Amino acid sequence: MTEKDNIKELPRLQWFPGHMKKAQRLIEENLKLVDVVIELLDARIPASSANPMLKEIIGKKPHIIVLNKSDLADAAATKRWLAYFRDRGIRAVSVDSVKGRGMKQLVREAEELARPQTEKFVNKGGRARAARCMILGIPNVGKSSLINRLAGAARAKTADKPGVTRAKQWIKIGSNLDLLDTPGILWPKFEDPAVGLKLAFTGAINDDIYDREQVTALLMDVMRRDYPERIRERFRLQGELPAGGLEFLECIGRKRGCLVKGGRIDMDKAQNIVLNEFRAGKLGLITLDEIPSDREAFPTGKGESEHASE
């Protein structure tokens, strides 16, 4: 069975619990309060981590794309993605919220994009105020880590699993920027199984709701196809690589000593090793999403300001 066949057989993941609906309402109710929307994407999967619901919610509000976790993505691919967005009139920056790379550029872009709104407010007789931004993104894309880096302190809760930020929080970033954090929000159904698969790879979907063995085996299929030398180097493999993902997992389990009584492979332990090391960047800098073709629609749109917030 090929990787494509396995993806076709992957159940269409649906994950839209009650707090997701609440998050959507929170975003819609507070959008009028902000000048600029900052949409945070995972630089490893810029297309797959873009919530198509946000395009309609954001409307024509000024909009910045931020490719976070760029320290885990292929640098050349990230440059291509930035060019892709800019060619379509969408402001885009890449950041590493762990080391702080790209923060100053993000703040400059946000302040500049908000200036027409803040100046219009002053021209109407209001007092000068900071630019107001809302930060949006799917769970576990790094919103809280980004805010904490910008604010210089642990103002927002962080965790390595989706669903930690539950309510809105205003955070002051310097003297010229106020940032509204919101809970991560996924869309109700992943029509393309490959999108759900990539979200599972990167940890945007809770690990408890899918077949981890199947998903991890598919990740190994992808790595074998696109990054074979990374796998060889990381797991010190010699000769021809295993043909299937499950065989790959068994091979890695043996290499790492994931053995149980009778010499059998502890597949749960092998899965944890692969997923944890992939998500931590230990398998190398990897980008899984290709630039869309001209016929493919990216699930976000250019935002132009219609109304100034006050």
Side-chain angles (χ1 to χ4, degrees):
M1 183 176 289
T2 67
E3 174 204 343
K4 187 175 290 187
D5 292 330
N6 282 333
I7 290 176
K8 285 180 179 177
E9 288 195 356
L10 191 72
R12 292 188 185 275
L13 298 174
Q14 298 186 55
W15 193 51
F16 204 65
H19 75 270
M20 289 288 177
K21 289 184 178 292
K22 184 178 178 181
Q24 182 180 345
R25 288 196 300 270
L26 186 72
I27 291 166
E28 291 170 340
E29 290 168 2
N30 288 280
L31 193 64
K32 62 182 179 293
L33 302 177
V34 302
D35 307 306
V36 173
V37 169
I38 296 172
E39 184 180 4
L40 202 58
L41 305 180
D42 188 323
R44 296 168 296 179
I45 50 170
S48 299
S49 60
N51 186 338
M53 292 172 58
L54 295 181
K55 181 177 180 180
E56 183 176 346
I57 294 171
I58 293 169
K60 294 186 178 181
K61 185 72 69 172
H63 182 204
I64 301 173
I65 292 286
V66 177
L67 299 182
N68 193 30
K69 303 190 180 184
S70 61
D71 56 311
L72 302 177
D74 183 296
T78 298
K79 287 182 180 179
R80 291 194 297 271
W81 273 105
L82 291 174
Y84 169 83
F85 289 121
R86 290 167 185 163
D87 287 347
R88 282 152 184 78
I90 303 170
R91 295 194 184 221
V93 299
S94 64
V95 303
D96 172 1
S97 57
V98 175
K99 296 180 180 176
R101 189 180 64 81
M103 298 297 134
K104 290 182 180 179
Q105 182 186 0
L106 172 56
V107 171
R108 282 197 307 270
E109 294 276 359
E111 291 176 354
E112 183 180 334
L113 197 55
R115 191 165 293 123
Q117 280 71 37
T118 55
E119 289 181 350
K120 186 175 181 179
F121 184 64
V122 171
N123 291 337
K124 286 184 174 180
R127 295 179 61 185
R129 62 164 174 79
R132 296 171 182 168
C133 300
M134 176 186 285
I135 185 164
L136 300 177
I138 66 172
N140 210 34
V141 77
K143 296 189 306 299
S144 296
S145 296
L146 175 66
I147 291 169
N148 290 339
R149 171 61 68 171
L150 287 169
R155 305 282 181 88
K157 294 180 180 179
T158 60
D160 59 357
K161 61 182 180 180
V164 170
T165 305
R166 299 289 181 175
K168 69 175 182 179
Q169 303 179 70
W170 280 102
I171 297 100
K172 193 162 191 63
I173 309 297
S175 59
N176 297 320
L177 186 66
D178 290 336
L179 193 60
L180 177 61
D181 186 21
T182 56
I185 178 172
L186 281 170
W187 53 109
K189 185 177 181 180
F190 308 123
E191 295 295 341
D192 181 355
V195 169
L197 189 64
K198 292 171 187 176
L199 292 171
F201 289 165
T202 57
I205 300 173
N206 194 306
D207 285 340
D208 296 331
I209 71 165
Y210 57 82
D211 184 332
R212 292 178 77 248
E213 182 173 293
Q214 184 184 21
V215 165
T216 311
L218 284 167
L219 174 58
M220 297 313 301
D221 283 335
V222 171
M223 294 297 298
R224 183 185 189 280
R225 181 193 67 202
D226 297 339
Y227 299 97
E229 293 310 313
R230 307 263 180 88
I231 292 294
R232 289 182 189 278
E233 181 180 351
R234 181 64 188 173
F235 297 111
R236 299 179 182 178
L237 301 177
Q238 304 291 328
E240 189 173 349
L241 296 176
L246 284 176
E247 294 174 69
F248 230 135
L249 271 178
E250 291 175 353
C251 178
I252 290 169
R254 280 193 207 90
K255 278 288 202 179
R256 293 292 181 88
C258 305
L259 301 176
V260 293
K261 190 174 181 180
R264 292 182 296 108
I265 306 297
D266 185 336
M267 295 298 279
D268 284 340
K269 193 171 182 180
Q271 293 161 32
N272 287 335
I273 287 172
V274 170
L275 286 176
N276 290 340
E277 295 198 3
F278 171 78
R279 292 169 182 172
K282 293 180 180 178
L283 303 187
L285 306 182
I286 294 166
T287 299
L288 298 175
D289 278 344
E290 297 291 333
I291 300 290
S293 67
D294 291 339
R295 291 173 296 176
E296 294 174 313
F298 188 85
T300 191
K302 180 180 178 181
E304 297 293 349
S305 173
E306 272 190 337
H307 307 289
S309 60
E310 299 184 359

